[in-house]
Amino acid sequence: MSPEQRDGYSNLILLCPTDHALIDKAPEDFSVGFLLDMKAQHEAWVRSTLGAASNPADEKWAALVDNLTARLSLDTWHADVSSVLSGGEASMAVSTEERLRACLHWIATRPWPKGHDVLRKVIETIGHFINELLSTFSEHTDPDRSGERLRFKAFYKIRAWDKELYDSLLNEYKERREYLADTVLELTRYVNLFSDVVRDEIDPDFRNEEGYATLIIEGAILRFDTHVPRFTQEEISEIRASEHPFQEFGEVRLARTPRFSW
């Protein structure tokens, strides 16, 4: 992890000196998942004590929200996924891929509390998009020499010249890169919708200081722009009315704006 990631709120937990030493000496007994759960449960207890949660179901939802926020690592989202959008070689840190895969498993296995149907739908859709991103990305990836990053191969580069094969592979490569970009863009929109729904339904101050998740997008030469992907109010209404928003992605993605070209 970079120094920024280490210092991010999602990676911090405050312990007394005794427990700090105990956990450091027994990492096999205190896994990342165990510590995230412990932190989320304590934050839910604090919310309940301060009166932010009004009933046991809301307390459970508050704990789920904090746990998911940490697993998504929203504090470092732009650094973790923007590299997939690179105009050059798309890549992703192995640690990011492993964390997102673990997050996907966590979402898929949740026993959801009662209520907050829209929030549940948004979280489940985030899981679908994480799965689609990882599945598409892994089709043509290899680890780099360091073993710390996965790089999306330029599979159109062939050893023996064959124009028909080259053109076919190049078109497929461009389509895959465009689909990856659209998937990351839509996933980030849902991540930001998740924050909005949490503020509307559970905690009005949720991530007010940190703000929305962003993407760093390559623009003109030597220029990188920060973009905040969000849905329009009309799109949000359609999502609320839809039973399976992810299944409609293939139909609507070409109409989404802005999009990316390669």
Side-chain angles (χ1 to χ4, degrees):
M1 301 176 73
S2 67
E4 180 186 21
Q5 290 171 319
R6 289 193 184 95
D7 291 338
Y9 175 79
S10 62
N11 191 52
L12 297 179
I13 185 168
L14 182 62
L15 304 167
C16 70
T18 301
D19 284 345
H20 196 294
L22 176 66
I23 289 175
D24 282 351
K25 290 179 181 178
E28 67 282 358
D29 295 329
F30 299 96
S31 65
V32 172
F34 178 89
L35 294 174
L36 286 173
D37 286 338
M38 184 173 70
K39 178 179 178 181
Q41 289 170 15
H42 180 69
E43 289 174 328
W45 175 85
V46 170
R47 279 201 177 92
S48 175
T49 302
L50 296 177
S54 58
N55 58 59
D58 280 348
E59 292 176 17
K60 292 178 181 179
W61 272 110
L64 285 169
V65 165
D66 286 336
N67 209 324
L68 178 59
T69 301
R71 291 176 183 275
L72 288 171
S73 190
L74 295 187
D75 293 331
T76 61
W77 183 262
H78 67 285
D80 294 336
V81 301
S82 291
S83 55
V84 178
L85 305 174
S86 171
E89 186 177 46
S91 68
M92 180 186 296
V94 171
S95 59
T96 297
E97 194 272 347
E98 292 174 346
R99 176 171 49 75
L100 289 178
R101 198 168 295 281
C103 182
L104 170 61
H105 175 76
W106 183 86
I107 292 174
T109 57
R110 282 315 86 202
W112 301 105
K114 294 181 180 180
H116 299 294
D117 294 339
V118 173
L119 179 57
R120 174 179 176 175
K121 181 194 298 185
V122 170
I123 295 174
E124 289 178 333
T125 305
I126 286 174
H128 288 308
F129 274 103
I130 291 175
N131 180 64
E132 190 70 7
L133 170 61
L134 297 180
S135 298
T136 304
F137 186 74
S138 64
E139 288 178 358
H140 300 286
T141 54
D142 280 330
D144 64 4
R145 292 182 179 180
S146 70
E148 296 179 355
R149 296 195 70 81
L150 298 170
R151 300 190 179 280
F152 194 79
K153 295 183 294 185
F155 56 84
Y156 61 90
K157 295 181 179 180
I158 53 180
R159 294 183 178 180
W161 178 247
D162 183 324
K163 186 178 187 306
E164 184 176 351
L165 176 60
Y166 177 84
D167 290 343
S168 175
L169 291 176
L170 180 59
N171 287 333
E172 181 184 352
Y173 172 80
K174 288 181 178 179
E175 289 175 359
R176 290 291 85 189
R177 288 295 303 273
E178 189 173 80
Y179 186 73
L180 276 172
D182 286 344
T183 302
V184 171
L185 178 64
E186 201 75 349
L187 171 58
T188 308
R189 280 191 172 110
Y190 272 98
V191 166
N192 285 331
L193 180 58
F194 160 73
S195 294
D196 282 334
V197 174
V198 171
R199 279 190 284 270
D200 288 341
E201 299 185 1
I202 296 178
D203 180 3
D205 296 323
F206 179 72
R207 294 188 64 80
N208 279 347
E209 290 296 324
E210 298 87 349
Y212 289 107
T214 63
L215 294 174
I216 307 300
I217 301 172
E218 187 173 355
I221 297 176
L222 299 180
R223 177 178 174 180
F224 294 85
D225 299 321
T226 299
H227 180 58
V228 183
R230 296 183 63 195
F231 290 111
T232 65
Q233 287 301 315
E234 181 180 354
E235 290 169 336
I236 293 174
S237 297
E238 293 173 356
I239 291 170
R240 288 178 177 272
S242 173
E243 292 187 9
H244 304 287
F246 173 75
Q247 295 179 5
E248 301 167 5
F249 174 57
E251 301 175 5
V252 302
R253 76 180 186 93
L254 297 181
R256 297 293 194 200
T257 57
R259 296 184 70 248
F260 305 101
S261 59
W262 304 96

